[in-house]
Amino acid sequence: MFTMAHSIRTCLMAGVLAALLTPVATALVLKRDKLEVGSDAPALTVEEWISTPFGQPTLEKGKVHVVEFWATWCVPCQHSIPHLARLQKEWGADRLQIIGISEEEPKVVKPWVVKQGKRINYAIATDKNKATREWMKAADLKGVPWVFIVGPEGRIQFIGNPNSTDFDRRLNDVMRGRFDIKKMQEAAPLFERLRTERERKNWRQYDATLALILAIDQRLFREAEIDQIECMIVEQKNPQAAYVKAAAFIEMNLQDDPEAVMWLSERIATDPDIPAEHRNYPMAVQAGTAVLDQFENATVRADMLARLSNIQMAAGNSDQAIALARRAYRTAPKELKEDFRKRWVEMKSQADG
């Protein structure tokens, strides 16, 4: 979370390929009869809805859905309830709808859910036939809990344990428009070409290939634009043109993609490949500070506070950096607080010397 951004050779390309090669991303070779990451999500047909706090879910496109299969007797399932409830509250029903489905009889689930009261703020249903068959059995899964993330375009983006950090990371990426397995598969060969063209210093073709990548989904591959700016500074030896491009990037994305502005700011201030004389610290600090208040989600805001802390430390503003690291720790959800606390302590020790 706190590592500095690197060039496309070590960061973006590695991230794309790693995502495509993880076990949950087996959609590279989709089987027609198996439900897996990259598949279109089945329809959501259940026996009975027990609780529908945001109306009866339909897996409508444009929203992200989390479908969990659970049971009242399952201890890990009970542990996932406050976690899922926090995520539902953080992201809001207009963007995220969480649905829990149990194979148990309604007469078992109803009183159990009523007893939980406000602890469960997401939809609950029962079904031991159609939904179970079309999701769990189609994915060749047994036992509970299992969770599916369905992206806004109706494709499955994750299958796994709702109590895992992998689930948290993937949901965070999907919610922010930073993960789509099908588009990443489409772009993978272009990233290979981009890497080759950078190694050969074929800049005209590099720019053309980058344009093809961004045409697939500019937001998803926003970091490739940032890599281009870094490349102009480090390898093309043209920092003046790079910072003109950086200024235009910041102005264009201040409102539409403030996270990308923070990424660029951190790259300018901390990328080890950029020579000290070519770092524009005032631009990095000003842009990072300008977008900070736009992050309301606790997880994302904590990350952005930490990144701005990195920027301020690199710029020599240790007091501001430590204060921001402390705010990141205080802002972070409890599942992540320890990581942020360690970073805060490390930064204080670094400043003390």
Side-chain angles (χ1 to χ4, degrees):
M1 182 171 293
F2 302 106
T3 56
M4 296 179 182
H6 296 294
S7 71
I8 191 168
R9 291 164 293 184
T10 58
C11 180
L12 185 61
M13 189 62 213
V16 171
L17 294 180
L20 292 174
L21 295 175
T22 53
V24 297
T26 51
L28 279 170
V29 184
L30 284 175
K31 299 176 182 178
R32 292 182 181 179
D33 59 346
K34 186 173 181 180
L35 186 66
E36 48 196 355
V37 174
S39 301
D40 289 335
L44 190 66
T45 304
V46 300
E47 179 182 357
E48 183 174 338
W49 289 101
I50 304 299
S51 173
T52 55
F54 41 73
Q56 185 170 314
T58 60
L59 297 189
E60 62 183 289
K61 292 190 177 182
K63 293 184 181 180
V64 177
H65 294 81
V66 169
V67 180
E68 183 200 30
F69 287 83
W70 69 289
T72 60
W73 49 262
C74 166
V75 174
C77 301
Q78 294 173 21
H79 289 164
S80 73
I81 289 173
H83 184 199
L84 294 176
R86 178 183 66 78
L87 292 171
Q88 182 63 80
K89 181 179 179 180
E90 266 193 21
W91 291 107
D94 58 328
R95 297 187 61 196
L96 173 67
Q97 293 190 348
I98 299 177
I99 303 148
I101 301 175
S102 172
E103 293 185 20
E104 299 165 284
E105 296 291 339
K107 64 182 181 182
V108 174
V109 178
K110 275 184 180 179
W112 194 93
V113 171
V114 169
K115 187 176 179 179
Q116 301 307 306
K118 294 182 179 180
R119 289 187 68 223
I120 302 179
N121 61 352
Y122 50 90
I124 298 292
T126 61
D127 184 278
K128 60 181 178 181
N129 292 311
K130 191 171 179 62
T132 300
R133 182 177 67 250
E134 293 189 354
W135 291 76
M136 290 285 286
K137 291 183 179 179
D140 196 23
L141 300 175
K142 297 179 181 179
V144 286
W146 284 98
V147 69
F148 299 76
I149 298 176
V150 181
E153 296 183 0
R155 286 189 293 270
I156 294 176
Q157 304 294 341
F158 177 86
I159 302 173
N161 188 323
N163 294 311
S164 71
T165 55
D166 287 341
F167 164 66
D168 284 5
R169 292 192 189 100
R170 183 59 53 79
L171 180 62
N172 194 280
D173 286 344
V174 172
M175 292 299 302
R176 291 158 40 243
R178 309 299 184 188
F179 188 92
D180 186 304
I181 189 66
K182 187 173 181 180
K183 292 178 180 178
M184 292 167 77
Q185 290 168 355
E186 183 181 353
L190 291 173
F191 274 104
E192 288 282 11
R193 188 194 305 174
L194 195 70
R195 180 174 61 181
T196 299
E197 286 153 0
R198 178 162 179 165
E199 290 172 351
R200 294 175 177 174
K201 301 187 183 303
N202 186 349
W203 304 124
R204 180 175 295 182
Q205 193 57 44
Y206 173 91
D207 292 344
T209 302
L210 176 60
L212 293 175
I213 291 171
L214 298 179
I216 295 173
D217 190 320
Q218 188 169 15
R219 183 180 180 85
L220 180 61
F221 301 118
R222 187 78 76 187
E223 195 166 354
E225 291 186 84
I226 297 173
D227 282 314
Q228 183 187 37
I229 293 170
E230 182 258 5
C231 180
M232 292 172 69
I233 298 172
V234 174
E235 297 193 33
Q236 298 181 40
K237 312 297 184 184
N238 194 351
Q240 184 175 358
Y243 283 115
V244 169
K245 194 173 188 68
F249 180 97
I250 291 167
E251 183 178 1
M252 183 177 297
N253 292 293
L254 271 175
Q255 300 298 323
D256 294 339
D257 198 348
E259 184 178 29
V261 172
M262 189 70 80
W263 288 351
L264 173 61
S265 300
E266 187 179 32
R267 181 76 71 91
I268 290 169
T270 67
D271 190 314
D273 292 334
I274 297 178
E277 65 271 21
H278 291 158
R279 294 189 187 280
N280 190 332
Y281 290 117
M283 173 182 281
V285 170
Q286 183 178 1
T289 303
V291 297
L292 184 60
D293 289 340
Q294 296 188 48
F295 304 101
E296 297 180 358
N297 176 274
T299 301
V300 178
R301 182 169 175 78
D303 182 42
M304 294 301 109
L305 282 162
R307 289 176 184 272
L308 184 55
S309 174
N310 291 340
I311 294 167
Q312 291 282 19
M313 182 61 79
N317 305 321
S318 59
D319 289 345
Q320 294 94 320
I322 293 168
L324 286 162
R326 181 173 182 270
R327 286 174 62 190
Y329 158 65
R330 293 172 65 89
T331 301
K334 64 179 181 179
E335 296 94 340
L336 303 175
K337 275 191 180 296
E338 183 58 22
D339 289 341
F340 286 93
R341 187 195 69 80
K342 288 179 180 178
R343 176 56 180 156
W344 173 36
V345 171
E346 290 172 3
M347 191 164 281
K348 286 196 295 182
S349 298
Q350 181 182 346
D352 293 340

